[in-house]
Amino acid sequence: MTNLIEIKQLKKYFPIYRGVLLRRHVGDVRAVDGVDLSIQQSSTLGLVGESGCGKSTLGRCILRLIEPTEGKIIFDGRDITSLKSHELRDLRRDMQIVFQDPQASLNPRMAAGKIIGEPLDVFKLGDKSGRHEKINELMEMVGLDPAMASRYPHEFSGGQKQRIGVARALALNPKFIVCDEPVSALDVSIQAQIVNLMQELQEKLNLTFLFIAHDLSVVRHISDWIAVMYLGQIVELAPTEMFFANPSHPYTQVLLKSIPIPDPDAPAEYAPLKGDPPSPAAPPSGCRFHTRCPKRFEPCDKIPPVPVLIENNHTVACHLYSRGITK
Amino acid sequence: MNKSNDNTTHDSSGEHLLEVRNLSTYFTAEEGIVKAVDNVTFHLGYGETLGIVGESGSGKSVTALSILRIIQDPPGKIVGGEIIFEGRNLLNLSGAKMRDIRGNQIAMIFQDPMTSLNPVLTIGDQMMETFRIHGRISAKEAHDKSVAMLKKVGMPLAEERMRQYPFELSGGMRQRVMIAMGLSLKPKLLIADEPTTALDVTIQAQILELIREMKQEFGSAVIMITHDLGVVASTCSRVIVMYGGQIMEEGSVQEIFHDPLHPYTKGLLACLPKPDEKRERLDPIPGSPPGLAELNPGCPFEERCNVKMEHCFENRPALKFYKDQRRVACWLFDEFKP
Ligand SMILES: Nc1ncnc2c1ncn2[C@@H]1O[C@H](COP(=O)(O)OP(=O)(O)O)[C@@H](O)[C@H]1O
Ligand SMILES: Nc1ncnc2c1ncn2[C@@H]1O[C@H](COP(=O)(O)OP(=O)(O)O)[C@@H](O)[C@H]1O
Ligand SMILES: [Mg+2]
Ligand SMILES: [Mg+2]
């Protein structure tokens, strides 16, 4: 299978300045700090991790909505890391994003049809009747009645608003969509509707997804691969079945145990992770997880672990698996 | 929280800690009268943990706010019912007595602690205030008690936190402060309204564990309000399922999860992704929750129900006992069909 997306050693640092008159650069928020990833054509990569670990920043860097500090982004075989703004324009047609909060991401003063058709206007695609037809088609595709095109966002329910967001993302026939927590704000019964919709669309339109979420059960259901992120870095990456059969990074293991299972007979395993994640402006030395890791040992606070392959396709960045390091 | 250490007991008179009877709370809105809570009846034993689940807008928070009598009036009003707490109807108490209940007997924690903490006062000021309102103690004593309580809820660097403002704390730490403040007075009842919804699962696990420990230590009863069925399954012994301002079903956590009766409860459980069965598609409940101002006269779930019958639109099924503690409001289980 070919990779639609390849990311090499991607970094995004947000500079921190102090002082009003003499603005000094005093440090950086290392939101994304050396990420290698690839996403296969027509597949879904699920990206999980605590809030603030850099998921959204990574997604936005790939789309070139924000400038990466370092590293390489290859899209469909082409290096897009340093495209100029006029070259980015074409890229926008191929890559889209769906946001978490459908309320905030839709212009309240624009009718639904106008919102969905806006990308067509921006790219001056088709004539008036062509656009009108396309909007109807998009609305039907996401399960909205085209008769509702003249209604405003507040007249739609949360699930319907997210459908509008999805239709807008589909308007330019993209190949790749970053889904940034698209169901996190929705009720469970509505989540299931949107997850199904995303899957149907993926199959019908041959889409590739980066699916960001904090709900691992949803990610498990929709993803072909799963990546776990901690303080700007990927700590574990594997195909979904392998990931759940053999979760290997101590952080992944705690994450999985932290999720309450909707079954009263499930064993109550309580070993909650201590404390909050450290600040990405001053990440811990060595392995970034060592300050909270229940399995920390000798080298962990000194040497940053490099990702190693522990089985075919399954990568883990942890000294428990590092070669040449003995416990 | 572990169900097995649910120290449910009845007091000597055999009464429940809390009995909510036929509670109705309405709001006046542009669209008309919103029946946010409509004829809701349930009880809570001493030391028990009761879950209230349901989608957003189903009336969970308004139920909690009604118990504490902190419904904003206008637009809201408790229009009927009784709230019997330890034998007294809270709806008949004077404002002063009610403040005493809120301070000393019933504590509440909210989804967003930021809204219930004062942004311009330090954590220390706010913690000490709770102790000083409820007893004549010196500033030094209040300070020491506050630090001790912060340590108890696992707050790192408790002394330092006393001098910080709410915005300087993470969401998880703010929720710890709320729990410390709520539990410092050893309340008989803790109402937790989506206490972990805004938090990461790792922090959620810490907070749920903390509530469990506190409950054991103080023997408080808990009403756990959540939309997360995982949280319910892992913390509660009994569950109420709400929809459209009404109770659809009540049962033990085992009954609700393994033998749901109401089509809504069944639908909620069915639409969760199941790890051990590889399904192509999830089974969502079609449509979306109704606007409470335009409810049909019958069952609020009728519009989305996959087993609805002809009379469901016009006639509301009563919440009836099915067996023992089991109650359900659905014509499928009602022998007196209209
Ligand atoms: N525009 C920005 N300026 C400065 N810091 C930022 C900016 N955007 C994100 N960050 C910081 O980068 C880190 C990662 O954020 P984000 O990618 O939003 O995380 P996630 O999506 O995993 O919650 C956080 O510490 C956040 O505060
Ligand atoms: N201050 C208010 N004014 C008008 N309507 C309100 C107000 N507070 C709550 N409601 C309505 O009451 C209903 C129940 O709300 P709530 O109890 O907050 O639901 P839940 O907590 O289950 O999500 C909703 O339809 C909501 O719109
Ligand atoms: Mg994000
Ligand atoms: Mg609520």
Side-chain angles (χ1 to χ4, degrees):
Chain A
M1 262 211 245
T2 54
N3 290 329
L4 184 68
I5 305 270
E6 278 179 41
I7 306 160
K8 299 199 174 123
Q9 277 305 303
L10 194 75
K11 292 186 182 172
K12 176 63 195 184
Y13 290 3
F14 294 106
I16 307 168
Y17 296 103
R18 285 278 150 67
V20 183
L21 289 177
L22 289 168
R23 254 163 65 94
R24 286 174 302 129
H25 178 197
V26 293
D28 295 293
V29 175
R30 304 191 198 174
V32 175
D33 203 8
V35 165
D36 292 298
L37 265 187
S38 42
I39 309 177
Q40 289 170 352
Q41 172 77 50
S42 318
S43 76
T44 299
L45 174 78
L47 181 62
V48 296
E50 285 162 294
S51 49
C53 72
K55 305 180 298 294
S56 297
T57 304
L58 177 59
R60 277 155 216 231
C61 276
I62 298 174
L63 298 183
R64 291 285 319 273
L65 292 173
I66 49 181
E67 287 306 304
T69 307
E70 243 182 81
K72 235 183 204 159
I73 306 159
I74 297 172
F75 177 74
D76 215 0
R78 171 174 174 220
D79 187 341
I80 60 163
T81 325
S82 41
L83 291 188
K84 301 281 172 307
S85 57
H86 66 275
E87 296 168 305
L88 276 175
R89 223 180 115 83
D90 280 338
L91 197 66
R92 293 277 168 264
R93 298 176 60 166
D94 288 335
M95 305 169 107
Q96 285 292 327
I97 184 164
V98 175
F99 296 101
Q100 165 172 0
D101 188 355
Q103 181 74 44
S105 63
L106 305 179
N107 183 343
R109 279 178 291 275
M110 239 192 225
K114 193 100 178 94
I115 292 174
I116 295 168
E118 199 184 22
L120 303 172
D121 293 341
V122 171
F123 281 87
K124 304 198 168 53
L125 297 176
D127 55 13
K128 203 162 177 224
S129 76
R131 281 180 211 170
H132 183 73
E133 221 167 89
K134 177 80 183 177
I135 291 167
N136 284 354
E137 185 193 314
L138 286 164
M139 288 186 79
E140 270 168 16
M141 203 186 293
V142 299
L144 290 172
D145 181 354
M148 299 198 289
S150 57
R151 295 199 195 168
Y152 289 83
H154 73 267
E155 297 175 75
F156 292 89
S157 68
Q160 287 174 325
K161 282 188 200 122
Q162 197 53 293
R163 288 175 194 271
I164 296 174
V166 173
R168 173 178 59 187
L170 293 175
L172 299 171
N173 305 322
K175 295 179 181 151
F176 174 64
I177 300 182
V178 172
C179 312
D180 194 352
E181 313 231 19
V183 300
S184 302
L186 303 174
D187 275 312
V188 276
S189 73
I190 311 298
Q191 277 190 12
Q193 296 175 6
I194 300 296
V195 166
N196 280 357
L197 173 69
M198 302 300 281
Q199 283 186 299
E200 278 157 26
L201 292 171
Q202 177 167 48
E203 284 160 27
K204 205 184 297 175
L205 305 171
N206 217 5
L207 296 166
T208 305
F209 289 153
L210 173 65
F211 196 93
I212 300 172
H214 57 252
D215 182 338
L216 261 160
S217 61
V218 170
V219 172
R220 177 179 200 162
H221 177 81
I222 201 168
S223 306
D224 303 295
W225 286 69
I226 294 180
V228 179
M229 197 164 180
Y230 189 79
L231 277 185
Q233 302 179 330
I234 304 294
V235 297
E236 182 157 7
L237 171 69
T240 304
E241 279 190 23
M242 203 181 271
F243 180 90
F244 282 97
N246 185 21
S248 298
H249 195 286
Y251 179 59
T252 310
Q253 292 168 352
V254 187
L255 210 52
L256 289 174
K257 277 194 193 141
S258 302
I259 301 163
I261 300 164
D263 176 357
D265 295 336
E269 285 192 77
Y270 275 103
L273 206 52
K274 296 245 159 32
D276 289 316
S279 160
S285 62
C287 170
R288 290 186 178 184
F289 185 55
H290 87 258
T291 53
R292 299 165 88 197
C293 183
K295 297 185 176 170
R296 164 185 69 227
F297 61 110
E298 183 53 31
C300 299
D301 61 345
K302 298 177 195 77
I303 310 165
V306 290
V308 294
L309 214 52
I310 61 162
E311 58 190 316
N312 203 10
N313 288 331
H314 188 165
T315 320
V316 182
C318 170
H319 286 311
L320 289 171
Y321 311 93
S322 293
R323 273 174 284 268
I325 286 189
T326 43
K327 269 159 271 172
Chain B
M1 257 175 283
N2 202 327
K3 282 80 66 186
S4 59
N5 55 44
D6 199 22
N7 32 3
T8 309
T9 50
H10 292 250
D11 75 351
S12 47
S13 60
E15 276 180 2
H16 294 126
L17 172 64
L18 176 74
E19 273 183 50
V20 173
R21 297 185 193 143
N22 307 105
L23 176 70
S24 293
T25 305
Y26 296 173
F27 289 89
T28 317
E30 260 172 52
E31 322 91 80
I33 300 291
V34 175
K35 298 184 177 177
V37 172
D38 195 5
N39 199 20
V40 159
T41 298
F42 67 91
H43 74 271
L44 179 70
Y46 283 84
E48 190 183 14
T49 301
L50 172 74
I52 303 185
V53 278
E55 287 172 275
S56 50
S58 57
K60 306 183 296 296
S61 296
V62 172
T63 301
L65 299 176
S66 300
I67 293 171
L68 283 172
R69 280 182 45 195
I70 46 177
I71 293 289
Q72 202 183 12
D73 175 8
K77 204 167 185 59
I78 298 175
V79 296
E82 293 175 294
I83 297 169
I84 315 290
F85 182 75
E86 296 214 289
R88 284 188 297 178
N89 185 356
L90 298 185
L91 298 184
N92 294 336
L93 294 188
S94 68
K97 287 235 174 68
M98 198 56 218
R99 270 192 295 282
D100 177 61
I101 295 268
R102 280 195 292 267
N104 288 315
Q105 320 249 349
I106 307 180
M108 180 155 177
I109 53 180
F110 299 89
Q111 168 172 344
D112 182 6
M114 205 60 194
T115 56
S116 31
L117 286 168
N118 188 329
V120 300
L121 292 181
T122 63
I123 300 302
D125 288 338
Q126 302 187 54
M127 291 276 316
M128 286 161 63
E129 177 80 1
T130 46
F131 284 108
R132 300 197 73 181
I133 289 178
H134 301 285
R136 288 174 197 287
I137 59 170
S138 70
K140 170 88 177 65
E141 254 180 292
H143 178 270
D144 293 349
K145 280 191 167 193
S146 303
V147 173
M149 199 64 207
L150 284 178
K151 284 188 177 153
K152 192 169 223 149
V153 297
M155 179 74 81
L157 308 172
E159 289 273 4
E160 235 164 86
R161 302 289 175 221
M162 291 284 285
R163 290 187 293 273
Q164 289 186 314
Y165 291 90
F167 76 88
E168 298 178 84
L169 270 53
S170 69
M173 287 200 280
R174 285 199 287 263
Q175 201 56 287
R176 277 171 203 276
V177 171
M178 287 309 297
I179 292 174
M181 280 172 35
L183 292 177
S184 55
L185 303 153
K186 306 188 174 59
K188 294 197 172 116
L189 170 60
L190 171 69
I191 303 178
D193 189 357
E194 311 256 5
T196 57
T197 300
L199 305 174
D200 279 307
V201 286
T202 50
I203 311 299
Q204 165 168 286
Q206 295 171 3
I207 299 294
L208 293 180
E209 173 74 6
L210 181 64
I211 294 177
R212 186 184 68 77
E213 285 169 12
M214 296 287 122
K215 185 176 139 63
Q216 263 193 321
E217 175 156 355
F218 301 127
S220 311
V222 176
I223 296 180
M224 177 66 78
I225 297 176
T226 176
H227 67 275
D228 185 329
L229 290 161
V231 170
V232 174
S234 61
T235 60
C236 303
S237 53
R238 206 153 47 83
V239 184
I240 282 170
V241 181
M242 283 189 78
Y243 191 83
Q246 301 165 38
I247 295 179
M248 297 289 104
E249 175 165 15
E250 175 189 351
S252 73
V253 70
Q254 298 288 338
E255 290 165 335
I256 294 292
F257 281 83
H258 296 317
D259 185 22
L261 297 174
H262 200 284
Y264 174 57
T265 316
K266 287 184 180 165
L268 268 187
L269 290 166
C271 66
L272 296 175
K274 309 276 184 310
D276 37 4
E277 66 189 74
K278 202 70 200 144
R279 285 179 298 177
E280 276 294 290
R281 294 284 184 268
L282 300 172
D283 300 315
I285 303 176
S288 44
L292 297 188
E294 62 229 33
L295 278 186
N296 63 43
C299 171
F301 188 59
E302 184 267 351
E303 201 189 337
R304 305 173 75 191
C305 184
N306 58 1
V307 290
K308 67 176 163 223
M309 297 170 281
E310 216 171 287
H311 51 269
C312 294
F313 181 84
E314 282 293 338
N315 305 282
R316 183 196 292 192
L319 181 65
K320 286 193 171 173
F321 279 100
Y322 178 73
K323 61 173 195 208
D324 305 332
Q325 294 273 323
R326 204 79 215 275
R327 295 187 298 163
V328 60
C330 175
W331 288 117
L332 286 175
F333 302 95
D334 198 321
E335 36 195 314
F336 304 102
K337 295 195 173 51

